[in-house]
Amino acid sequence: MDGINYEKLAASFFRRKNVLKIASELPGKLLVTRFGASETIGRIVELEAYNGVLDRASHAFGGRRTARTEPMYAAGGIAYVYLCYGIHHLFNLVTGEAEAPQAVLIRGIEPVKGIPIMLERTGKSKADSSLGRGPGNVSKAMGISTLHSGWSLLNNDIFIADDGYKVPQQKIITGPRIGVDYAGEDALLPYRYYIKDNPFVSRVKKNK
DNA sequence: TTGTAGATAGTCT
DNA sequence: GACTATCTACAAT
């Protein structure tokens, strides 16, 4: 449709046990949202894995289980959206089996389709590199909010798709996660994946 | 171009 | 009632 051919990823993709394996395959995939007549598509360029109860940076660390984190304990293939700073909605993909609270946080996308809609949602006037950079902007541009937490990624409202785009292996970089200094040694784990030289990947420091 | 400060609201104890 | 996270804006160089 509209010149973009893509295939929705099936539940089997999300339900594998190894969240790192799933995370390593996500760069270059498409994040699609369809709310009413508004379809927006962004290519995933940056993400972080959260490895269940062992991961201090995860909301589910130590087996904590509350109404908010409940979606993380479900089987993979649904969305987990939480609010941070009272303003930003962060979008996660739940992976793994039921009772294994693993998730992947989408930190950055490259707008592919529906850019005027994204501009309207974010209140921006032109599509610069800040449109899909940073987890708060991702959900804002895609129209995702905490209302969508627990939604299935197998329906036609929100889903992940593959359009055949392949990211060269040498352009997929792994490194420490961002904003998880409080996680102690876990903050050093290379659970962050991003595409090298992509302007929509948040950078610690500008270099030029 | 780089650094720093201020804002926010839902969740858990 | 305390805590948790990121973006935007503004100021200085």
Side-chain angles (χ1 to χ4, degrees):
Chain A
M1 43 180 72
D2 295 334
I4 301 178
N5 293 311
Y6 52 78
E7 190 169 336
K8 194 193 318 182
L9 295 185
S12 57
F13 178 87
F14 302 103
R15 297 210 177 135
R16 286 173 292 167
K17 288 183 184 176
N18 190 340
V19 64
L20 295 180
K21 172 83 171 158
I22 295 170
S24 70
E25 295 176 11
L26 279 173
K29 293 288 189 292
L30 300 176
L31 171 60
V32 185
T33 63
R34 279 191 207 143
F35 302 128
S38 305
E39 179 182 58
T40 43
I41 302 178
R43 192 178 303 283
I44 297 170
V45 297
E46 183 180 6
L47 56 96
E48 289 177 5
Y50 286 86
N51 192 17
V53 298
L54 301 176
D55 190 342
R56 196 173 292 275
S58 166
H59 288 165
F61 172 70
R64 278 191 320 185
R65 182 167 186 160
T66 65
R68 181 180 65 155
T69 59
E70 193 62 30
M72 290 187 71
Y73 287 87
I78 66 171
Y80 170 52
V81 187
Y82 67 91
L83 190 68
C84 102
Y85 280 90
I87 316 171
H88 307 294
H89 302 264
L90 307 204
F91 175 68
N92 300 257
L93 310 174
V94 178
T95 69
E97 303 175 306
E99 303 303 315
Q102 300 175 331
V104 175
L105 170 66
I106 306 300
R107 294 196 71 92
I109 58 163
E110 176 181 338
V112 173
K113 184 168 181 291
I115 291 175
I117 299 172
M118 296 184 188
L119 292 175
E120 191 176 333
R121 284 172 180 157
T122 55
K124 296 181 190 301
S125 55
K126 67 179 193 345
D128 57 20
S129 62
S130 73
L131 191 53
R133 185 172 56 197
N137 287 326
V138 169
S139 49
K140 192 149 84 170
M142 299 301 291
I144 294 171
S145 75
T146 54
L147 288 174
H148 305 115
S149 192
W151 280 37
S152 172
L153 300 174
L154 309 175
N155 295 327
N156 291 322
D157 309 295
I158 308 174
F159 58 92
I160 307 299
D162 186 350
D163 66 344
Y165 181 85
K166 290 278 190 297
V167 180
Q169 195 60 42
Q170 66 268 23
K171 298 209 52 157
I172 297 179
I173 311 297
T174 63
R177 289 173 295 189
I178 293 178
V180 291
D181 294 341
Y182 61 89
E185 292 186 358
D186 288 343
L188 303 175
L189 294 172
Y191 282 1
R192 176 169 176 252
Y193 294 77
Y194 62 94
I195 299 178
K196 190 174 191 287
D197 297 331
N198 188 293
F200 293 93
V201 173
S202 51
R203 273 169 285 189
V204 180
K205 206 189 239 176
K206 284 243 193 220
N207 58 348
K208 187 175 160 209

